[in-house]
Amino acid sequence: MSLKKFLALKMIKSRKSRIISIEELEQKHTDPDAFAYNDSSYFAGVSREGFTFVTRQAFRTGKHNENWLKVYIPGDGVWGFEDMELPEGEGFKQGTLEYVCVKPGEEWDIKYEGPVFKDGKEELIKLDLKWHSTSPVMDFDKAGTSPKQVAEQIAKQKWNKEFFKRLREIHLVHIEQGGRITGTITWKGKENKVDLKGVRDHSFGKRNWEEWSRHIWFLGILDDGRFFNVSVIDYDFVKDLKAGFIYDGEKYVTFAKTPSFDELNLPEPLPHKLEFRVKESEDGEDITITTDMQEFFPFMMDYVYHIRQSKAEFTYGDVKGIGIAEMGIAKRML
């Protein structure tokens, strides 16, 4: 092992000694003295035939707060909004868009009542939903990130004071979780009961979209109940930072191998279908993941970075699943 890789591995493993309680992880975190500090919370509810929605709130220092809500409505397509000027409230609240932690790590309320938009048209929608966890909270500083894979990428870079400064800045506290979302979505005056597969995400720390080059972030809930993530990100100063895990019903297993962007071999910047392989252990067999992206939810971040989320059908080996496939690319690369 090279000295650089040894030192990088030691640095990454030291982060796993951090201890933050679930109660603290579930709170909103702000830092008024740190420019570009970002507390981001995300929920998605997905179904094969019915409603699917994605929603996000980010509370930022020195930049406007971000908000998303986009809903696929059977027969009416995708309606929603992004970055509306909404007053910030207590906790995770902008205008009437609100996420309320009822029981840390287990239960949240998701609410919104107001306008959504499509092709210059406006309609009213009401979400009254409840998140129920089906897996424990996954803390990326404890699992989900392979120190060996990350160390390999860091060791490839030219090391200097500026590199390590930027590396520290991109490190976020980051959790994810699989679940179920139930409740009602009221559309055009009709109350629709929903029962959706759910995924959620919460992170806090510094984030500058100008530094992002491209990424994928795939979250799937398999039909047998397992929950997985595969992520790859290129920043403008370090490439192919990878993460990935699967919850096997009892514990989180960090993938020993996930693909680089070269191995993904993207046929276009934002394809609709993708196939790649992962390994659950160093000596394990390759597992093929296929992704068929369907209803799409596009967003533009600070006018410099394009994100496209989609409802996705997955296969993991021979097991089917459903979830969210997010891909992003900087405008400068298009």
Side-chain angles (χ1 to χ4, degrees):
M1 181 185 295
S2 71
L3 178 59
K4 283 180 73 177
K5 186 175 176 182
F6 172 79
L7 293 172
L9 190 61
K10 186 176 180 180
M11 176 183 65
I12 293 159
K13 286 183 174 180
S14 70
R15 293 175 178 168
K16 295 187 179 293
S17 63
R18 170 185 62 75
I19 298 175
I20 301 179
S21 70
I22 185 62
E23 289 77 15
E24 186 177 354
L25 286 170
E26 297 284 52
Q27 295 172 8
K28 183 169 79 173
H29 295 258
T30 59
D31 187 343
D33 298 321
F35 181 77
Y37 196 88
N38 182 310
D39 183 294
S40 172
S41 288
Y42 170 89
F43 291 87
V46 186
S47 68
R48 284 190 164 93
E49 304 297 337
F51 287 82
T52 291
F53 79 90
V54 298
T55 181
R56 175 176 176 267
Q57 293 186 69
F59 301 88
R60 308 198 295 175
T61 300
K63 299 182 178 183
H64 70 273
N65 288 340
E66 296 169 328
N67 51 67
W68 299 350
L69 174 64
K70 291 196 176 178
V71 187
Y72 169 73
I73 300 162
D76 282 328
V78 176
W79 291 72
F81 63 79
E82 62 177 306
D83 289 349
M84 285 208 300
E85 292 187 16
L86 301 175
E88 180 176 342
E90 291 294 322
F92 300 93
K93 184 174 183 179
Q94 296 181 39
T96 63
L97 180 61
E98 183 174 21
Y99 316 146
V100 178
C101 184
V102 179
K103 188 174 183 180
E106 295 187 31
E107 191 173 313
W108 285 76
D109 289 338
I110 306 162
K111 297 180 180 295
Y112 175 72
E113 186 170 6
V116 286
F117 307 90
K118 177 187 176 185
D119 299 331
K121 299 177 183 178
E122 177 179 339
E123 291 282 353
L124 295 178
I125 198 169
K126 180 180 179 182
L127 277 64
D128 189 0
L129 303 169
K130 190 170 289 289
W131 159 278
H132 319 262
S133 65
T134 56
S135 64
V137 166
M138 212 295 303
D139 182 346
F140 273 91
D141 273 354
K142 301 302 179 185
T145 302
S146 164
K148 180 180 177 182
Q149 286 196 119
V150 176
E152 286 175 351
Q153 295 309 115
I154 291 175
K156 290 177 182 178
Q157 312 305 313
K158 181 179 179 180
W159 286 8
N160 53 40
K161 183 178 179 180
E162 179 64 18
F163 172 77
F164 284 106
K165 175 178 177 292
R166 296 186 71 184
L167 196 63
R168 285 192 300 271
E169 287 180 346
I170 65 170
H171 178 246
L172 302 172
V173 178
H174 182 192
I175 63 174
E176 291 180 1
Q177 192 174 24
R180 177 185 174 201
I181 294 173
T182 59
T184 59
I185 297 176
T186 302
W187 175 248
K188 294 182 178 179
K190 180 184 177 183
E191 187 175 274
N192 301 274
K193 291 185 178 180
V194 296
D195 190 343
L196 311 173
K197 302 288 188 183
V199 293
R200 65 178 286 248
D201 163 280
H202 181 209
S203 64
F204 47 92
K206 285 193 173 184
R207 179 182 293 180
N208 275 306
W209 295 114
E210 294 86 354
E211 298 176 344
W212 290 46
S213 296
R214 59 182 179 174
H215 82 285
I216 70 166
W217 181 64
F218 290 179
L219 288 171
I221 294 182
L222 301 176
D223 290 351
D224 61 11
R226 289 179 294 166
F227 166 52
F228 75 88
N229 165 296
V230 175
S231 305
V232 191
I233 182 168
D234 279 359
Y235 291 96
D236 59 3
F237 71 103
V238 61
K239 310 298 182 187
D240 278 329
L241 293 183
K242 308 171 187 178
F245 62 78
I246 187 161
Y247 177 67
D248 65 6
E250 295 182 359
K251 63 184 182 303
Y252 281 104
V253 176
T254 300
F255 288 137
K257 184 178 185 303
T258 49
S260 67
F261 270 108
D262 283 345
E263 291 166 330
L264 285 172
N265 192 28
L266 300 179
E268 55 187 298
L270 300 174
H272 289 195
K273 295 179 184 291
L274 203 57
E275 180 178 306
F276 54 87
R277 283 162 292 283
V278 300
K279 281 188 176 182
E280 294 182 7
S281 62
E282 289 284 354
D283 57 355
E285 296 183 357
D286 283 349
I287 298 168
T288 299
I289 297 177
T290 65
T291 310
D292 181 4
M293 300 170 227
Q294 299 173 359
E295 314 303 337
F296 295 96
F297 313 104
F299 304 98
M300 182 59 70
M301 317 310 294
D302 286 341
Y303 308 103
V304 298
Y305 195 78
H306 175 67
I307 288 177
R308 189 199 68 192
Q309 295 201 325
S310 66
K311 180 179 83 172
E313 290 275 2
F314 294 105
T315 62
Y316 183 91
D318 58 0
V319 180
K320 294 187 177 189
I322 192 169
I324 294 292
E326 176 181 285
M327 305 188 74
I329 189 166
K331 281 182 66 177
R332 66 179 183 274
M333 296 181 65
L334 291 172

